[in-house]
Amino acid sequence: LVAFESVYSMSGTVGRIPEICALAKKYGAITFLDEVHAVGMYGPRGAGVAEHYDYAASLQAPAGQRIPGSVLDQVDIVTGTLGKAFGIVGGYIAAASSLVDMIRSYAPGFIFTTSLPPPISAGAVASIQYLSKSQRERFLQQTHMRELKADLASAGIPVVPNPSHIVPVLVGDAERAKLASDLLLSEHKIYVQSINYPTVPVGEERLRITPGPGHDAQMRSRLVRALDSVWDTLALKRSADWARDGGRCGVGESRTNSELHVGWKRGVDYVWEDHQLKQAHDYECARKGGIRIEPAIPATVQQQFVSATAA
């Protein structure tokens, strides 16, 4: 069994699923893909990163239809959550019916367990159905993430590079990461969790930020100003400082070095590419009778769409 993730929650890096599946097939191993931090947020119907690898084909295929030879088709077991993007509670696996029956019969976690209450199950079904059709939430989260990363880069705040929605801000010291988190809450009324060893290696302690579709430009600006203030107060290392010291986990390193660990497709900055975001925006506008997604497309992202369309 080869167990791996699509989006790694503390770094935002993305597993190279096709390569992992090929390796598993070579040695006759079952693949177990954890899409907990991706379902609802990636793929044209929110099925996760494996679906997103074949974005165009998944978009054209009827909902739920298997696409032979696709990346998702190569994965034996997918596990996800009904929390996070779906906003409920619980989790699931998706696999061949025989494999699901085997796990249901033999997995210790199912012995004497209690099923999800019917209202919770109904809420989960409604949420999945909604996010399988709506691109609004995915579009807004991705555009907010791009703007936040750009704003932090302009301020010299060190963000661990990755192609996903997760924004890890490198601190590099456990005590100071906790102090930074405390200052954000006590002085700026913003809660950001500090992440320390053993969740991340010693020396790579960080703050972990995840923009959501409900955030807006004003919230983003307030967060950037607060982080800038905290970095000054604690004299934390900025991006240029990390670069002078040789870099760490992609911060202050060359793109060639950082791409060794960020995952996804080599040479591609984000899982959601420009033309895919434009398609999602146009689809959602058409679905809503021409009503634009609010908040409107940020100016910098709009310019990227214009460039992508021209190309």
Side-chain angles (χ1 to χ4, degrees):
L1 175 71
V2 178
F4 57 104
E5 297 181 51
S6 56
V7 177
Y8 288 81
S9 61
M10 296 302 148
S11 62
T13 53
V14 175
R16 293 194 170 104
I17 301 173
E19 297 173 29
I20 296 172
C21 287
L23 186 65
K25 183 178 181 180
K26 178 180 179 180
Y27 292 99
I30 293 174
T31 49
F32 184 97
L33 174 60
D34 182 344
E35 291 261 33
V36 163
H37 294 276
V39 290
M41 294 174 278
Y42 294 90
R45 294 190 175 89
V49 172
E51 180 191 46
H52 207 103
Y53 265 100
D54 299 284
Y55 186 93
S58 299
L59 190 64
Q60 296 300 320
Q65 178 176 300
R66 176 185 170 222
I67 304 175
S70 66
V71 173
L72 186 57
D73 191 48
Q74 299 173 44
V75 179
D76 296 306
I77 308 172
V78 174
T79 184
T81 181
L82 299 175
K84 302 190 189 312
F86 292 129
I88 313 294
V89 68
Y92 63 88
I93 62 166
S97 58
S98 57
L99 192 51
V100 172
D101 285 343
M102 183 275 290
I103 293 173
R104 184 185 291 116
S105 300
Y106 290 98
F110 280 105
I111 298 175
F112 303 120
T113 192
T114 300
S115 299
L116 290 176
I120 297 297
S121 299
V125 169
S127 185
I128 292 169
Q129 290 175 338
Y130 172 79
L131 281 177
S132 69
K133 297 176 182 176
S134 174
Q135 293 276 40
R136 179 181 186 275
E137 290 74 18
R138 290 186 278 276
F139 171 84
L140 287 174
Q141 180 178 49
Q142 291 296 317
T143 52
H144 292 333
M145 172 274 292
R146 288 188 181 202
E147 287 290 286
L148 177 58
K149 287 183 177 180
D151 290 347
L152 291 174
S154 296
I157 304 297
V159 175
V160 178
N162 67 71
S164 75
H165 63 284
I166 294 173
V167 184
V169 179
L170 182 62
V171 177
D173 178 85
E175 183 178 359
R176 299 173 94 190
K178 180 63 167 60
L179 283 173
S181 177
D182 291 345
L183 273 177
L184 283 170
L185 184 59
S186 62
E187 300 296 327
H188 303 279
K189 309 304 178 189
I190 298 174
Y191 177 71
V192 177
Q193 180 67 52
S194 60
I195 308 297
N196 300 322
Y197 177 85
T199 307
V200 295
V202 172
E204 296 184 10
E205 295 83 1
R206 62 196 63 179
L207 302 178
R208 180 182 179 274
I209 302 167
T210 51
H215 293 130
D216 57 27
Q218 290 74 28
M219 294 176 181
R220 186 171 63 244
S221 297
R222 179 171 165 242
L223 172 62
V224 173
R225 290 195 301 270
L227 285 168
D228 191 54
S229 172
V230 168
W231 249 246
D232 282 342
T233 300
L234 298 179
L236 299 176
K237 291 168 69 173
R238 295 185 181 253
S239 300
D241 301 317
W242 285 105
R244 282 193 294 271
D245 292 343
R248 187 69 183 254
C249 57
V251 175
E253 298 178 353
S254 68
R255 182 179 178 119
T256 300
N257 286 343
S258 65
E259 279 196 347
L260 294 176
H261 76 92
V262 298
W264 187 234
K265 301 174 183 177
R266 291 170 177 83
V268 179
D269 290 332
Y270 297 107
V271 176
W272 275 94
E273 299 180 45
D274 293 344
H275 68 279
Q276 294 167 350
L277 281 178
K278 183 178 187 306
Q279 180 279 326
H281 176 267
D282 293 347
Y283 163 85
E284 197 61 28
C285 287
R287 193 171 77 94
K288 295 293 186 180
I291 301 174
R292 291 175 59 83
I293 297 178
E294 294 295 340
I297 306 176
T300 55
V301 178
Q302 176 67 61
Q303 183 57 47
Q304 292 171 350
F305 289 163
V306 172
S307 300
T309 303

